[in-house]
Amino acid sequence: MGSGSLPLSAADVDSVRLWRAPDHTRLVFDLSGPVEHKLFSLSSPSRVVVDVADTRLKASLDDLALEDTPIRRVRSAHRSDGTLRVVFDLKESVRPKSFLLKRHAGTNDRLVIDLHDQGKSRAEALADKTPATTSGDRNVVIAVDAGHGGEDPGAIGPGKLYEKNVVFDIAKRLVRELNGSPGYEAKLVRTGDYYVPLRERRDIARKMQADLFVSIHADAFTHPSANGSSVFALSRSGATSETARFLAERENEADLIGGVGSVSLEDKDEVLAGVLVDLSMTATLNSSLMVGKEVLESMSGISRLHKPRVEQAGFAVLKSPDVPSILVETGFISNPGEARKLATAQYRQQMADRIGQGVRRYFERQPPAGTYLASRRQGGGDAREYTISRGDTLSAIARQHNVSVDAIRRENGLNGHVIQVGQVLKIPSS
């Protein structure tokens, strides 16, 4: 589709960007100003058409990465009335949606087009719902969420250091760190550079039947001197308001109190349902605070802490009724010193190791019923074993199991404090 001489336009399309997610393809048109548009589908052959009024295409559509997307080809034409028409020729049918984003905080006006794959919902597409097993007992499942993604870069530090890239790398390293320990199964909430809405991140963790949700971020502040790492859990007021919201939607949330043994609210009266959700939220919040404390203490070994205790706020991503959830701020990407550290692979690995160490310390003390970790803990005496992971120290392991360093050394015939990743230690009875 070609074009002749073009009339003057009210807006230009300056660039077009594409991201592929497990269940949809997102295209973002960066605009020089606000526009009006129409989106519709055509069949035989299958295609999606977007008409953008009084707009001129200044960007190229030829370089879009269409591999692994339902799009076969993208065409464009300018009509005589000034309308820009873009046609997506499809390999398979999709459910198209579109919306406009107004200019905000240094970003231009944008037109967003989502082409949703037919079939599973986003949460189902991203979640493997079957927890893995070790020796007949299930693994503890950790949902690791890298903040932002896709067209949302998060905070931007010196040298265009994007938060979305930093935290995705730390998240991948954390997954590898946790999966290196027997009894753990860590999974990424987003597996690439695309955006997932906040509440859907939480829902993906619930679909995974996760025992813990960890969201990784890198903070920013207007003043570059702000620095330090933080851990957040849900606030009490946030938990209370979320209880009311979940109850209002319980007709659509049959497995509201989930985990391994789901409790349906469909057949419960309003009072009982309220009590069940309130109890679940309270227990979940208490667990979140406990695991947050362990992670914060572990992070203090490599980073200054912004606050000495777990902070609480009403973050939407933390509002799960039955999955303990924490948000880890790995540092201030707006601080030049911390940005330099967060830009290095070495520090990101250290951060992942420390977060993983805190998570494992919590679950060694509080293993969920029916897990490999619970069976190992119930064995007691000389039957207890601990596999060394990156970042472990003898003193931390001793504190975790309420025994002395000397007792561990005697039990394992150790002459010094040197231990190796993958080494299995026998833990004496306390």
Side-chain angles (χ1 to χ4, degrees):
M1 301 172 71
S3 60
S5 60
L6 302 177
L8 293 176
S9 61
D12 294 326
V13 177
D14 295 319
S15 63
V16 181
R17 297 168 288 147
L18 179 149
W19 289 274
R20 176 62 184 166
D23 70 327
H24 74 283
T25 302
R26 169 164 287 189
L27 295 107
V28 176
F29 289 66
D30 293 306
L31 306 166
S32 63
V35 298
E36 294 182 356
H37 78 288
K38 293 181 181 178
L39 183 76
F40 54 95
S41 298
L42 296 172
S43 57
S44 301
S46 181
R47 56 205 188 276
V48 170
V49 181
V50 58
D51 283 342
V52 191
D54 204 17
T55 298
R56 180 171 53 185
L57 179 66
K58 296 181 67 176
S60 172
L61 300 175
D62 297 332
D63 298 329
L64 295 175
L66 303 181
E67 301 82 7
D68 301 321
T69 77
I71 305 170
R72 186 187 310 277
R73 183 174 57 151
V74 184
R75 300 177 284 136
S76 68
H78 289 91
R79 309 181 76 179
S80 59
D81 63 355
T83 296
L84 167 66
R85 170 164 286 187
V86 179
V87 179
F88 302 96
D89 294 318
L90 302 175
K91 307 171 192 173
E92 56 196 62
S93 60
V94 298
R95 291 177 289 109
K97 293 184 178 179
S98 65
F99 57 92
L100 293 166
L101 295 173
K102 294 182 179 180
R103 183 186 299 266
H104 174 71
T107 62
N108 291 331
D109 291 274
R110 287 161 287 166
L111 168 62
V112 181
I113 299 172
D114 285 336
L115 306 177
H116 292 273
D117 302 344
Q118 298 285 4
K120 291 182 177 180
S121 69
R122 187 200 309 258
E124 290 171 334
L126 295 179
D128 174 4
K129 296 166 63 174
T130 307
T133 60
T134 303
S135 304
D137 296 300
R138 75 172 184 88
N139 288 338
V140 167
V141 178
I142 315 294
V144 181
D145 170 50
H148 308 283
E151 75 278 15
D152 174 15
I156 302 176
K160 290 191 175 180
L161 183 65
Y162 287 0
E163 179 183 3
K164 69 172 184 177
N165 297 331
V166 170
V167 299
F168 186 57
D169 187 51
I170 293 174
K172 289 189 292 184
R173 293 172 185 274
L174 176 57
V175 164
R176 287 196 295 270
E177 198 278 339
L178 289 169
N179 286 339
S181 298
Y184 291 90
E185 178 76 9
K187 305 175 185 181
L188 289 168
V189 169
R190 70 169 172 96
T191 57
D193 185 16
Y194 54 87
Y195 182 73
V196 182
L198 298 179
R199 291 192 183 277
E200 289 192 25
R201 295 171 189 254
R202 176 206 65 195
D203 293 342
I204 289 165
R206 298 187 69 236
K207 291 284 186 182
M208 288 177 180
Q209 297 187 0
D211 297 284
L212 176 67
F213 174 88
V214 182
S215 191
I216 310 293
H217 290 258
D219 214 341
F221 193 64
T222 52
H223 201 288
S225 64
N227 66 96
S229 301
S230 306
V231 177
F232 287 86
L234 184 62
S235 66
R236 296 281 177 183
S237 59
T240 301
S241 62
E242 197 64 9
T243 295
R245 195 188 72 81
F246 269 108
L247 283 172
E249 297 181 1
R250 74 178 187 271
E251 291 80 4
N252 300 320
E253 294 269 2
D255 62 341
L256 189 58
I257 303 177
V260 177
S262 294
V263 176
S264 173
L265 299 183
E266 282 186 316
D267 57 348
K268 308 296 189 294
D269 65 37
E270 189 170 342
V271 173
L272 178 55
V275 171
L276 288 173
V277 175
D278 189 58
L279 286 172
S280 180
M281 290 290 285
T282 300
T284 298
L285 178 54
N286 288 340
S287 296
S288 301
L289 291 168
M290 286 192 288
V291 69
K293 181 176 182 294
E294 296 288 358
V295 170
L296 194 67
E297 181 179 317
S298 182
M299 290 167 63
S300 69
I302 62 165
S303 172
R304 177 188 175 274
L305 300 182
H306 187 62
K307 293 288 178 65
R309 63 185 64 83
V310 178
E311 299 178 72
Q312 292 181 257
F315 291 119
V317 77
L318 300 178
K319 294 182 177 180
S320 177
D322 53 357
V323 181
S325 303
I326 59 172
L327 187 149
V328 179
E329 293 283 7
T330 55
F332 280 81
I333 204 168
S334 54
N335 178 281
E338 291 196 340
R340 279 194 297 271
K341 291 195 295 183
L342 288 167
T344 67
Q346 179 183 9
Y347 188 73
R348 293 178 190 180
Q349 186 63 58
Q350 289 179 327
M351 184 60 67
D353 292 342
R354 290 292 176 155
I355 297 170
Q357 183 184 75
V359 168
R360 286 185 286 105
R361 190 178 297 162
Y362 168 77
F363 280 111
E364 289 288 336
R365 294 176 179 173
Q366 308 279 344
T371 60
Y372 169 77
L373 296 180
S375 295
R376 189 177 67 181
R377 184 177 179 85
Q378 289 167 0
D382 295 335
R384 288 195 299 169
E385 294 181 342
Y386 183 85
T387 303
I388 304 300
S389 294
R390 192 191 303 269
D392 277 338
T393 64
L394 274 182
S395 59
I397 296 168
R399 189 166 60 248
Q400 181 175 327
H401 292 89
N402 296 316
V403 298
S404 68
V405 171
D406 287 340
I408 293 179
R409 292 171 60 193
R410 284 195 302 270
E411 185 71 24
N412 294 274
L414 300 177
N415 293 323
H417 287 75
V418 177
I419 53 178
Q420 296 180 336
V421 174
Q423 180 180 356
V424 178
L425 294 180
K426 294 179 180 179
I427 306 297
S429 56
S430 54

